[in-house]
Amino acid sequence: MSISFKEKTYSGRRNAIWREPKVLPGGFALAQTFAAGTLLKRGTLVNVDTNLMKAGIVKIGKVLDGGTTTAPRVSKDNYLMAGDTVMKVGSNVTGTVASVDRSNEGYDVVTLTSAMSGLAPGDYLQEADTSGNSPVAAYAPNAVLAADRTIMENDLPTVDVAWQALVIRNATQLFPDSFLTSSIALTNNHNILFIN
């Protein structure tokens, strides 16, 4: 007689924030519009404006192997959507998102309206503001989401924002090291720390 062990896996994810974050009072209205059903995950980078009580989600993703300059494969939790203007972080190269295919478990395919010259694995695509002479990030991170928030039909979405938190870096969206100082603290808010 022998015992047969069968492995079973369950879906889920790690908690992106260690212990409890310090949350800003009041809910913050989203600065962008998201489709119903979009899950904004705890630990996601945001830019919060306490005067306007608005929060802009930092839409960013790392370019992965296997895509093209017109349809790059991008890390999950990038929050990019059709119509977004994106830039290659660290350059003036921009493009417009035509569509995003989220059907693969390991990456999203971001189809652009035209090729982004020089785009390569390891680069980052970020939502851009092109209203000035050169593109800049639409939202520079200065906080993180304190809780998950699913966007619903006919919603007036507000989010809880943490001004102090210890974030598990490999449990949240991918972003460049340039967002951090001393490889641990968020550049625009040294109360947000990232560890592995």
Side-chain angles (χ1 to χ4, degrees):
M1 178 190 265
S2 66
I3 298 174
S4 175
F5 293 98
K6 293 184 181 178
E7 256 185 50
K8 184 167 182 162
T9 58
Y10 296 92
S11 63
R13 58 188 164 94
R14 291 179 60 192
N15 189 350
I17 297 179
W18 179 257
R19 305 283 182 193
E20 288 305 313
K22 302 257 173 127
V23 181
L24 289 167
F28 289 81
L30 286 172
Q32 304 119 305
T33 302
F34 292 91
T38 301
L39 172 62
L40 303 174
K41 294 180 180 176
R42 185 179 201 208
T44 294
L45 296 169
V46 298
N47 176 278
V48 65
D49 183 331
T50 56
N51 292 324
L52 297 176
M53 295 300 286
K54 287 198 170 189
I57 300 298
V58 177
K59 297 180 180 183
I60 190 163
K62 185 175 185 176
V63 178
L64 306 174
D65 288 325
T68 66
T69 56
T70 307
R73 290 181 179 178
V74 178
S75 58
K76 295 300 246 183
D77 302 328
N78 55 66
Y79 302 108
L80 294 171
M81 299 183 306
D84 284 346
T85 299
V86 293
M87 61 186 272
K88 178 176 141 180
V89 173
S91 81
N92 288 334
V93 176
T94 62
T96 303
V97 177
S99 65
V100 181
D101 178 358
R102 302 193 192 284
S103 62
N104 191 289
E105 285 184 23
Y107 58 85
D108 293 341
V109 176
V110 177
T111 302
L112 303 167
T113 55
S114 60
M116 285 184 76
S117 118
L119 193 63
D123 290 336
Y124 285 87
L125 288 180
Q126 183 173 5
E127 182 184 18
D129 176 358
T130 55
S131 61
N133 292 333
S134 60
V136 295
Y139 298 98
N142 62 4
V144 293
L145 287 184
D148 286 353
R149 178 64 158 90
T150 301
I151 306 301
M152 296 178 286
E153 290 273 350
N154 303 317
D155 201 1
L156 295 173
T158 58
V159 292
D160 292 326
V161 175
W163 64 271
Q164 182 178 11
L166 187 57
V167 183
I168 311 299
R169 187 166 179 183
N170 56 7
T172 189
Q173 71 195 132
L174 298 180
F175 60 86
D177 290 339
S178 61
F179 282 18
L180 304 177
T181 60
S182 307
S183 75
I184 191 171
L186 193 61
T187 300
N188 295 323
N189 180 351
H190 293 178
N191 294 303
I192 304 290
L193 303 177
F194 289 84
I195 62 168
N196 282 323

